[in-house]
C-alpha cells in the first residue's frame, strides 16, 4: 500500500483515477480547487480537500506525507474554452511548478504529469487524413497556443526536476479522453460529451437538428476513460522517462462521431454547420508504437462502445437533472 495524492481529483479523469487507486488498496488523498460538492466524483474512502494549487504553500500542504503525486490539475476545457482562455490555461504552469517543488522538498518518490496531444506541432496536423503523431513530433515546437505551450513547458519542467533533483517524473500525452462522469455542459465540455448532449436535447425538444463546429471534416482519435486510467498506471509504474502517448488510434471525423451518436440514439438530425466556431487542427491521431513496445498494450476500447456508455450516462444525468430541476454531478462511492 502506498500513500498517493491525486491533484485535480474533482475533475473527470482525476475522479476515475482516485477510484482505481482505492480499488488497488492504496491510501489516497484527493485535492481540487473546486468545493467538493462540485466534484465529478467524490469517494468516501479518500481524504478529500479543497486547496488552490496555484499557490506554493497549498502545494506544500497537499504533498506532505505522500509517496507519489499525480498532477491532473489544470484550468482547461474543450476547444471552445482553450481558444478563448489562453492566459487562464497558461496560468496552470503555476500548479505543476509548485507541485514539483513540493515533491522535491517533501521527498515524494514519483511524480506524474498529465500532458496533452495539444503539444504537437501544428504543421503536422493540417490534413484531416493525418499521419499518426509520434512522441518526437512535438519538436520543433509549435503547439496549440496557450494550453499547448503550458503543457509543453511543464513537460520540460518534469524532465529537468528528474535530471537535477531526482524527482522521478512520468509524463503522459492524453488524446481526447471521454467517458461517464465528465462535464457535458457549461462551456468546458469536449466534443464527445457535447455531441451526446446536443443529440439528447434534440430528441427531448423535438427539434431534430444539431450544430456542428467547423465543417465536420476535422478528424480526431478519442480515448475511453478506462484505457486512459490503465495507461496512466502502466506509465507511472514503468521505466519510461520520456513523454508517452496515451491515446486511441481509431481515427474519426466529427461528422462520423455525430453519426455514431445518432445511431446510438436511434435518430437522424439535420446538420447545421458553424464555420466560425473554434475547431482546432484539421487532424490528430495517436501513434502507439512506443507504448506497445514498452508495455505490450495500447488503448483498445472501440469508439462505438465507449460512446454508448458515455451517451447512456449523460442521458441519465440529464433526465435526473430535469426531474430535480438541477444538475446533480457528485456520485458517492
Amino acid at each position: 500500500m502506498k500513500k498517493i495524492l491525486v491533484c485535480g481529483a474533482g475533475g473527470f479523469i482525476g475522479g476515475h483515477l482516485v477510484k482505481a487507486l482505492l480499488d488497488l488498496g492504496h491510501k489516497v488523498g484527493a485535492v481540487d480547487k473546486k468545493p467538493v460538492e462540485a466534484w465529478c466524483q467524490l469517494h468516501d474512502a479518500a481524504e478529500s480537500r479543497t486547496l488552490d494549487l496555484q499557490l506554493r504553500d497549498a502545494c506544500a500542504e497537499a504533498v506532505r506525507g505522500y509517496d507519489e503525486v499525480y498532477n491532473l490539475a489544470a484550468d482547461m476545457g474543450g476547444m471552445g474554452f482553450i481558444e478563448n482562455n489562453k492566459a487562464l490555461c497558461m496560468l496552470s504552469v503555476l500548479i505543476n511548478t509548485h507541485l514539483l517543488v513540493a515533491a522535491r522538498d517533501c521527498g515524494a518518490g514519483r511524480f506524474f504529469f498529465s500532458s496533452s496531444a495539444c503539444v504537437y506541432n501544428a504543421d503536422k496536423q493540417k490534413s484531416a487524413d493525418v499521419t499518426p503523431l509520434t512522441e518526437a513530433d512535438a519538436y520543433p515546437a509549435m503547439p496549440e497556443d496557450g494550453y499547448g505551450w503550458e503543457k509543453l513547458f511543464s513537460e520540460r519542467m518534469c524532465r529537468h526536476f528528474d535530471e537535477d533533483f531526482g524527482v522521478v517524473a512520468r509524463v503522459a500525452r492524453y488524446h481526447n479522453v471521454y467517458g461517464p462522469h465528465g462535464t457535458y455542459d457549461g462551456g468546458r465540455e469536449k466534443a464527445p460529451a457535447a455531441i451526446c448532449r446536443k443529440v439528447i436535447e434534440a430528441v427531448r425538444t423535438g427539434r431534430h437538428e444539431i450544430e456542428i463546429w467547423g465543417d465536420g471534416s476535422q478528424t480526431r482519435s478519442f480515448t475511453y476513460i478506462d484505457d486512459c486510467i490503465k495507461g496512466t498506471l502502466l506509465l507511472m509504474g514503468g521505466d519510461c522517462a520520456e513523454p508517452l502517448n496515451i491515446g486511441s488510434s481509431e481515427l474519426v471525423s466529427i461528422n462520423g462521431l455525430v453519426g455514431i451518436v445518432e445511431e446510438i440514439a436511434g435518430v437522424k438530425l439535420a446538420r447545421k454547420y458553424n464555420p466560425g466556431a473554434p475547431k482546432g487542427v484539421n487532424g490528430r491521431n495517436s501513434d502507439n508504437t512506443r507504448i506497445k513496445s514498452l508495455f505490450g498494450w495500447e488503448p483498445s476500447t472501440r469508439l462505438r462502445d465507449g460512446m454508448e456508455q458515455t451517451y447512456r450516462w449523460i442521458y441519465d444525468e440529464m433526465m435526473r437533472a430535469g426531474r430535480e430541476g438541477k444538475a446533480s454531478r457528485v456520485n458517492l462511492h
Side-chain angles (χ1 to χ4, degrees):
M1 184 186 74
K2 298 176 183 176
K3 293 182 67 178
I4 300 176
L5 178 69
V6 177
C7 302
F12 165 49
I13 301 175
H16 283 275
L17 180 60
V18 169
K19 182 179 187 304
L21 292 169
L22 289 170
D23 288 345
L24 289 170
H26 299 298
K27 182 175 181 180
V28 180
V31 176
D32 202 285
K33 183 178 180 179
K34 300 185 292 291
V36 291
E37 59 268 19
W39 290 20
C40 293
Q41 298 184 66
L42 186 62
H43 302 279
D44 289 342
E47 181 187 356
S48 301
R49 291 181 289 171
T50 297
L51 292 170
D52 184 354
L53 296 176
Q54 289 191 357
L55 305 177
R56 181 170 176 171
D57 289 347
C59 289
E61 178 184 346
V63 171
R64 192 174 296 114
Y66 285 95
D67 304 315
E68 295 182 355
V69 177
Y70 286 80
N71 178 21
L72 296 96
D75 202 349
M76 56 85 69
M79 187 53 59
F81 180 84
I82 66 176
E83 282 203 7
N84 292 305
N85 295 277
K86 295 183 176 66
L88 285 178
C89 289
M90 293 198 75
L91 281 171
S92 294
V93 73
L94 296 173
I95 300 172
N96 197 60
T97 302
H98 291 150
L99 282 173
L100 280 168
V101 170
R104 179 198 65 186
D105 294 347
C106 296
R110 291 206 167 205
F111 185 95
F112 174 86
F113 175 64
S114 58
S115 188
S116 165
C118 288
V119 303
Y120 284 116
N121 189 315
D123 279 348
K124 297 180 182 291
Q125 304 172 78
K126 290 183 174 180
S127 170
D129 187 23
V130 65
T131 300
L133 297 159
T134 71
E135 286 79 0
D137 288 327
Y139 296 93
M142 193 185 298
E144 186 84 38
D145 197 12
Y147 178 71
W149 275 110
E150 185 277 320
K151 290 297 189 184
L152 194 61
F153 176 84
S154 292
E155 287 188 4
R156 302 299 285 192
M157 286 286 287
C158 289
R159 172 177 175 172
H160 297 312
F161 266 68
D162 192 325
E163 294 170 341
D164 295 354
F165 303 123
V167 177
V168 179
R170 298 291 179 258
V171 175
R173 290 176 181 160
Y174 290 152
H175 286 248
N176 298 305
V177 183
Y178 72 100
H181 299 288
T183 299
Y184 58 84
D185 60 7
R188 291 180 184 255
E189 66 277 15
K190 296 187 177 182
I195 290 170
C196 287
R197 186 200 74 239
K198 289 178 180 181
V199 170
I200 293 165
E201 288 174 342
V203 172
R204 291 178 65 188
T205 62
R207 293 188 60 193
H208 282 198
E209 63 180 30
I210 184 171
E211 181 187 64
I212 298 174
W213 289 5
D215 62 7
S217 66
Q218 62 270 34
T219 56
R220 296 290 187 276
S221 62
F222 296 96
T223 311
Y224 191 60
I225 184 62
D226 291 358
D227 288 329
C228 171
I229 297 301
K230 183 171 182 177
T232 297
L233 296 174
L234 285 172
L235 176 56
M236 187 61 152
D239 297 326
C240 181
E242 299 298 321
L244 194 65
N245 280 336
I246 295 182
S248 170
S249 59
E250 183 182 349
L251 192 67
V252 66
S253 69
I254 297 302
N255 280 326
L257 185 62
V258 172
I260 289 172
V261 180
E262 287 177 324
E263 179 186 332
I264 293 167
V267 69
K268 194 69 177 176
L269 305 177
R271 302 184 180 192
K272 296 179 63 177
Y273 294 96
N274 184 352
K279 68 182 186 69
V281 296
N282 288 325
R284 179 180 294 152
N285 197 6
S286 179
D287 185 306
N288 291 337
T289 302
R290 183 75 172 136
I291 196 168
K292 285 191 290 186
S293 70
L294 289 169
F295 298 107
W297 175 88
E298 66 173 321
S300 59
T301 303
R302 288 194 320 137
L303 181 60
R304 174 63 170 75
D305 296 337
M307 286 302 295
E308 180 154 13
Q309 295 297 316
T310 305
Y311 180 90
R312 300 302 177 200
W313 182 83
I314 293 175
Y315 180 89
D316 289 345
E317 287 293 295
M318 291 178 68
M319 295 303 104
R320 181 168 62 182
R323 290 193 301 270
E324 297 177 357
K326 61 181 180 180
S328 179
R329 302 292 179 77
V330 177
N331 296 272
L332 299 175
H333 297 275

